[in-house]
Amino acid sequence: MHIVLNGETRELSSPVSLGAFLAHIGIDSRKVAVERNREIVSRTAYDDTLLQDGDQLEVVHFIGGGSGAVTPPPVDEPFTVAGRTFSSRLLVGTGKYRDFEETARAIEASGAEIVTVAVRRVNVSDPSQPMLVDYVDPKKYTYLPNTAGCFTADDAVRTLRLAREAGGWSLVKLEVLGDQKTLYPNMAETLVAAEALIADGFQVMVYCADDPIAAKRLEDMGCVAIMPLGSLIGSGLGIVNPYTIRLIKESVSVPVLVDAGVGSASDAAVAMELGCDGVLMNTAIADAKDPIRMAHAMRLAVQAGRESYLAGRMPRKSFADPSSPITGLI
């Protein structure tokens, strides 16, 4: 007698039960479903179902895909800036919060180890007012003095020299702005300031335009990190030009960190998926309805984006590609 099993003809020397037949060909009946002549056979009836000449059987099971090829995961390099290694790739600012207590809680939730700090005049009319150092311990966090609000190279250099005098910090973030409306970097003044600061012994992390040529020039001058804007400061527009960010990352050997424009956790993840070494943000956390929760979300997003980058995304394709193998279709 003959039966058809999954489209192939099989010869049987004598009538046999479905259960015995499955056992004979080495199939565990507990892990499959069987259709006989287009009618499903209950698993409890396998031993009572006698196969007949000409029966057509479909025996199916659950499968997954896979090519069988195993690629070893890449080893993640530590995040190192100017010879200092950090476990967190998220840097956060300290402005715009309701008070210093909220600032401290948000920074803790973010897991950041580097915090940017602006340099401003002391309130001499009330010197008893609390200061940032009372809430965010510079012994616990790496303070990164910045030049927020500076529109000339002279002002930026002067500000950072005062910052070094106040706290002894040589690792600094340079930003020289072009105008009040866009807060876009003035690259001509930025280059002048960077040259002066490096000559004065500073280790300069520099906010700049998303320009691969300018980024390479800044690296060649001696800047220790390149920080292209994702979009305008405080805009929350996200990464508006991922292609040039990626080009910058491929053009320089020092760390590249997206600075400005991040508005949500997905923006932070995108920045990291481009291969950036880190992300700096302030407004995205401070202006959130719940800054503490958002800080935690950004922490997770940066970690997830880094893992996604290291894992290597699937290639983009112009047409559909089924995830389940088509071999063995009923």
Side-chain angles (χ1 to χ4, degrees):
M1 58 180 287
H2 298 83
I3 66 169
V4 178
L5 172 64
N6 287 359
E8 297 181 359
T9 300
R10 293 286 186 104
E11 184 175 345
L12 301 180
S13 58
S14 60
V16 65
S17 71
L18 174 58
F21 174 70
L22 293 175
H24 174 70
I25 62 177
I27 293 178
D28 188 339
S29 61
R30 298 170 300 177
K31 300 178 181 179
V32 299
V34 179
E35 182 186 77
R36 176 177 178 242
N37 301 327
R38 297 201 170 223
E39 291 187 5
I40 295 175
V41 182
S42 170
R43 187 172 287 126
T44 59
Y46 286 179
D47 291 336
D48 298 327
T49 301
L50 192 66
L51 297 180
Q52 303 291 327
D53 185 43
D55 278 351
Q56 296 191 32
L57 301 179
E58 291 287 349
V59 181
V60 301
H61 67 146
F62 296 115
I63 65 168
S67 65
V70 177
T71 303
V75 177
D76 193 9
E77 297 294 330
F79 175 45
T80 303
V81 179
R84 310 181 198 184
T85 298
F86 301 91
S87 59
S88 174
R89 295 176 181 271
L90 175 60
L91 290 67
V92 297
T94 53
K96 295 189 174 182
Y97 292 96
R98 285 189 289 268
D99 51 43
F100 285 142
E101 182 177 350
E102 183 179 73
T103 305
R105 291 177 60 209
I107 293 172
E108 183 176 5
S110 75
E113 297 165 290
I114 302 176
V115 297
T116 60
V117 292
V119 180
R120 295 292 184 267
R121 290 171 171 166
V122 171
N123 183 357
V124 293
S125 62
D126 187 4
S128 65
Q129 285 291 314
M131 296 185 179
L132 181 66
V133 294
D134 298 324
Y135 292 83
V136 181
D137 188 353
K139 294 180 180 179
K140 179 179 178 180
Y141 299 100
T142 296
Y143 271 33
L144 185 67
N146 67 19
T147 55
C150 292
F151 292 86
T152 68
D154 285 345
D155 284 346
V157 172
R158 178 187 177 197
T159 296
L160 290 178
R161 284 174 176 164
L162 281 167
R164 182 167 60 182
E165 182 65 26
W169 299 295
S170 60
L171 181 65
V172 296
K173 180 202 165 187
L174 169 65
E175 58 181 80
V176 185
L177 307 175
D179 60 46
Q180 190 66 50
K181 181 178 180 180
T182 66
L183 301 181
Y184 202 80
N186 181 328
M187 292 308 300
E189 290 290 292
T190 297
L191 289 165
V192 172
E195 185 175 30
L197 290 167
I198 292 167
D200 202 13
F202 285 93
Q203 297 167 313
V204 180
M205 301 173 67
V206 56
Y207 167 67
C208 62
D210 55 342
D211 178 350
I213 306 304
K216 182 59 179 172
R217 184 175 176 186
L218 288 165
E219 179 193 30
D220 292 343
M221 290 174 61
C223 292
V224 299
I226 307 299
M227 306 177 74
L229 77 168
S231 53
L232 300 181
I233 291 174
S235 68
L237 292 174
I239 314 299
V240 297
N241 200 338
Y243 306 104
T244 51
I245 299 291
R246 182 64 185 168
L247 283 173
I248 289 172
K249 178 58 185 172
E250 293 174 355
S251 300
V252 303
S253 58
V254 295
V256 174
L257 301 92
V258 165
D259 179 12
V262 168
S264 66
S266 59
D267 295 335
V270 166
M272 297 305 297
E273 287 175 336
L274 290 172
C276 293
D277 299 279
V279 183
L280 171 62
M281 65 184 73
N282 187 176
T283 307
I285 296 175
D287 272 6
K289 293 180 180 179
D290 185 340
I292 313 305
R293 175 171 284 184
M294 183 60 79
H296 182 65
M298 292 299 187
R299 176 181 189 168
L300 298 178
V302 168
Q303 293 171 353
R306 181 65 178 178
E307 286 295 300
S308 177
Y309 167 72
L310 292 172
R313 66 156 291 140
M314 62 168 285
R316 289 182 170 87
K317 303 172 185 178
S318 299
F319 301 97
D321 183 12
S323 56
S324 298
I326 60 174
T327 302
L329 281 174
I330 301 169

